[in-house]
Amino acid sequence: MRRGFKFKNRVSPYFKKMLGAFVLWRLQTQQISKIAGHSPDSVSMRTILHYLQLVLSNEFHAFNYGPEENMRRYGRRSPPLYDLNRVTAKVAVFWGQNDILIVPKDQRRLVRSLPNVIADHRVAFDLWNHVDFLYGIDAKVLVYEEIMRLMANHY
């Protein structure tokens, strides 16, 4: 338990800065302490490691436990790739030009890989980033209203 506590104290400020540096000026003042108190606490270490594995491998695959554990879990030494062609649900992709967790090239690759994309929506604000989807003061106008329109038209 103590090891996790040290990790959290060391890494948490880095992720807070990484995820929030570009949007603090666009947040309502009363939101800042609430966000700082909860981010990125809802993200597990395994989720962070999986994200890093995906970035480093440039592939979209299951969690890599290492050759022996992969063999036990997946029946193979490397993790299986996710087959996005098997996604049958309608998908709307919303993205921001300033999102440091997914670059436009990877976003385009994702959209090309999904068989049933009903919307590929770049948020019409050049500084829009990952955290803005939750906390941006203009999320309602720039994102939520479009999501509601899509849902009304497609579901």
Side-chain angles (χ1 to χ4, degrees):
M1 189 66 153
R2 185 173 191 109
R3 192 165 140 197
F5 179 76
K6 286 182 184 177
F7 176 80
K8 179 181 173 186
N9 284 341
R10 217 172 332 143
V11 174
S12 187
Y14 169 75
F15 279 99
K16 286 176 185 173
K17 182 178 179 184
M18 180 181 79
L19 294 176
F22 300 107
V23 294
L24 288 179
W25 63 273
R26 298 186 53 240
L27 295 174
Q28 296 175 22
T29 307
Q30 63 269 26
Q31 287 181 301
I32 295 172
S33 62
K34 188 181 294 185
I35 294 166
H38 291 84
S39 298
D41 290 342
S42 62
V43 178
S44 71
M45 180 62 184
R46 181 174 155 183
T47 299
I48 293 169
L49 289 174
H50 190 208
Y51 175 75
L52 292 173
Q53 289 175 357
L54 300 176
V55 169
L56 293 173
S57 70
N58 199 30
E59 294 179 326
F60 193 43
H61 57 73
F63 189 84
N64 188 348
Y65 293 95
E68 288 100 32
E69 186 63 19
N70 286 343
M71 185 62 79
R72 189 180 77 69
R73 289 177 181 255
Y74 308 128
R76 51 188 286 171
R77 294 180 58 76
S78 61
L81 295 176
Y82 292 125
D83 183 2
L84 294 178
N85 287 313
R86 296 181 65 190
V87 175
T88 59
K90 296 176 184 177
V91 176
V93 177
F94 286 74
W95 58 284
Q97 187 68 38
N98 197 41
D99 192 332
I100 62 175
L101 295 182
I102 183 167
V103 295
K105 175 184 68 122
D106 291 338
Q107 179 276 331
R108 287 189 300 272
R109 184 173 148 196
L110 172 66
V111 168
R112 283 193 310 269
S113 299
L114 291 164
N116 204 8
V117 174
I118 60 170
D120 177 10
H121 183 87
R122 179 189 176 274
V123 178
F125 183 68
D126 287 344
L127 296 179
W128 193 266
N129 75 57
H130 207 75
V131 176
D132 284 324
F133 286 102
L134 293 176
Y135 302 115
I137 58 174
D138 41 10
K140 179 180 182 217
V141 173
L142 294 174
V143 177
Y144 303 161
E145 289 174 358
E146 179 64 11
I147 290 172
M148 297 304 288
R149 187 188 68 73
L150 284 168
M151 290 175 69
N153 291 338
H154 291 278
Y155 295 98

